[in-house]
Amino acid sequence: MAKTFSLAVYAITIHTYGNKNDRQVLSDFNNGQDFLEYMDTMITSWKQDVARGDQHVPVNTDAEPNAQQGNAYRLSRKPDGTYHLYRRGRYLSGIIESGDYGTQEDGVDISTGELKFQKGAGEALMKPFYFMFYIPENSNIGFLLIEKISNYGIMTVLNNAILKFYQASPSDGLYTLRIAPLSIDALVQRKMQTLRYEAKKIELRKVTKDDLSISRISGNTINNEGISTTITYNIGINQYMRISEFLNWIRNKRNDANTLYVIEEDLSCSDIAITVKIDGQDKVLSLQDVQSLGMSMDISTNVVLGPNRYPTYSFVDGKANELISFIQQQFNVR
């Protein structure tokens, strides 16, 4: 299978410990702390030790200290000895190399099957992954973009490293850091248009409405306890409904506790599912499934590869800036 390349999107927030609603400004929290400076300091420390050269790899492992398996990572170095680390205003981007160690594999010639090398358990094959931190000035939300190569990525490694670094900062204990996947509206719309998502059925699940309770329509012969109501809207033969407008409307119907969709004052439901036609086949998507379409942007088309046969920094950085423009429009940040 050919490699695919994409950029995953994450939201970064910091809130007062014990109060999720008290979000802090990431560029100026806890008496002048700047989250972007935190990340600059952390990643700069991953530069390879000049004396030891390529042997220097900071090791991350969630297992016991003497575990024989884990992940190595470091900041990528260019042939001229400088590093793929770039600070521009409220942006910090670069390339982090990452690879697993702890297993032994043979490297063979794909044409002849001849053994060419053997990777030892104490060695790691390092893949290059682009990253970008975008922490707008005076904003209570920041953004992290990370390259994925097919099913490989560095989110787990990077997230663990960020949390470890943050826990050693003067802000830990006072403020809680959270990094979570983020859906970008423009990406949802783009993918729906590409896949031609057209609704054939809409279901409102676990509906709350007194007029529809089973006790009422059964003349109180059946108790409501343990019984939920689903309302189904079937769209006629040869008729389809484009769902983008519906999704834009329904997202604003979420209640303050983020637990229900309040359609009208006396009508709410806990989930909404949409049956769509994809390549002639019916597929049921929850609203969460639809939103997940916006959590990454595919960049495989016309990808520019470097000598290592991975996307060049310049190519991925250009795609990242395109994605940033969608983020700025959706969140009204600059």
Side-chain angles (χ1 to χ4, degrees):
M1 180 182 293
K3 283 188 175 68
T4 59
F5 307 99
S6 61
L7 284 169
V9 191
Y10 299 88
I12 304 169
T13 56
I14 294 175
H15 61 78
T16 300
Y17 182 79
N19 185 357
K20 293 182 179 180
N21 295 321
D22 187 21
R23 288 188 176 182
Q24 301 297 300
V25 172
L26 272 69
S27 61
D28 185 9
F29 69 100
N30 191 21
N31 298 316
Q33 301 291 301
D34 184 348
F35 186 75
L36 190 61
E37 292 295 336
Y38 279 19
M39 295 300 93
D40 197 346
T41 300
M42 180 188 78
I43 293 177
T44 298
S45 73
W46 295 353
K47 290 183 177 180
Q48 300 166 39
D49 187 300
V50 176
R52 297 179 61 191
D54 289 348
Q55 297 176 31
H56 177 67
V57 282
V59 169
N60 172 71
T61 158
D62 295 325
E64 298 178 2
N66 295 324
Q68 297 301 306
Q69 292 187 335
N71 184 280
Y73 54 90
R74 65 185 185 183
L75 192 60
S76 175
R77 186 163 55 184
K78 294 181 282 186
D80 64 4
T82 61
Y83 290 90
H84 283 292
L85 182 64
Y86 309 92
R87 177 74 180 267
R88 175 174 59 88
R90 302 303 303 171
Y91 301 85
L92 178 69
S93 62
I95 295 177
I96 293 171
E97 298 174 346
S98 177
D100 294 331
Y101 65 88
T103 57
Q104 179 177 299
E105 288 97 22
D106 291 338
V108 301
D109 186 310
I110 60 172
S111 299
T112 66
E114 179 185 357
L115 178 66
K116 289 295 185 179
F117 68 90
Q118 189 174 74
K119 185 193 82 67
E123 299 170 334
L125 299 177
M126 309 295 274
K127 290 183 174 66
F129 297 91
Y130 174 95
F131 71 91
M132 175 190 281
F133 288 94
Y134 170 43
I135 311 297
E137 204 70 69
N138 301 318
S139 173
N140 61 9
I141 182 171
F143 308 92
L144 171 60
L145 311 184
I146 300 178
E147 181 184 5
K148 289 192 67 176
I149 301 171
S150 297
N151 291 325
Y152 297 98
I154 56 170
M155 181 53 192
T156 299
V157 167
L158 190 54
N159 186 62
N160 288 344
I162 292 171
L163 292 178
K164 182 178 180 180
F165 185 89
Y166 182 79
Q167 288 166 0
S169 77
S171 301
D172 186 53
L174 301 174
Y175 303 96
T176 300
L177 169 66
R178 185 169 185 263
I179 303 175
L182 180 66
S183 181
I184 304 303
D185 294 346
L187 299 184
V188 175
Q189 299 297 334
R190 176 186 288 185
K191 289 185 179 179
M192 289 192 337
Q193 290 170 5
T194 301
L195 297 175
R196 293 189 58 79
Y197 281 10
E198 297 173 314
K200 291 300 294 179
K201 182 166 62 177
I202 297 175
E203 297 178 39
L204 308 185
R205 296 176 172 175
K206 295 186 178 180
V207 173
T208 301
K209 184 173 174 60
D210 291 341
D211 291 350
L212 299 177
S213 66
I214 189 68
S215 61
R216 180 161 185 167
I217 67 173
S218 68
N220 290 319
T221 60
I222 302 176
N223 191 288
N224 291 328
E225 186 176 354
I227 297 178
S228 62
T229 301
T230 297
I231 298 177
T232 302
Y233 299 91
N234 290 299
I235 299 170
I237 297 176
N238 297 325
Q239 294 182 332
Y240 295 88
M241 183 186 77
R242 298 291 289 175
I243 62 175
S244 57
E245 293 83 1
F246 171 71
L247 294 174
N248 288 334
W249 176 79
I250 199 66
R251 86 170 76 239
N252 296 318
K253 296 295 182 178
R254 204 71 168 151
N255 66 351
D256 292 339
N258 203 35
T259 55
L260 296 171
Y261 294 96
V262 182
I263 311 301
E264 294 180 345
E265 185 175 350
D266 63 342
L267 173 62
S268 62
C269 62
S270 65
D271 192 19
I272 297 174
I274 304 166
T275 301
V276 296
K277 285 283 187 184
I278 302 178
D279 297 330
Q281 302 295 319
D282 286 348
K283 182 174 179 62
V284 180
L285 302 175
S286 70
L287 284 193
Q288 181 59 43
D289 292 331
V290 174
Q291 288 304 106
S292 69
L293 297 174
M295 293 178 181
S296 67
M297 183 173 83
D298 184 81
I299 59 171
S300 302
T301 303
N302 298 322
V303 62
V304 177
L305 302 178
N308 61 357
R309 308 305 295 163
Y310 287 101
T312 64
Y313 171 86
S314 297
F315 172 79
V316 185
D317 190 58
K319 294 297 183 180
N321 281 286
E322 179 185 350
L323 184 48
I324 288 295
S325 68
F326 298 150
I327 290 172
Q328 290 176 331
Q329 181 178 13
Q330 180 173 336
F331 292 92
N332 193 29
V333 293
R334 288 293 182 270

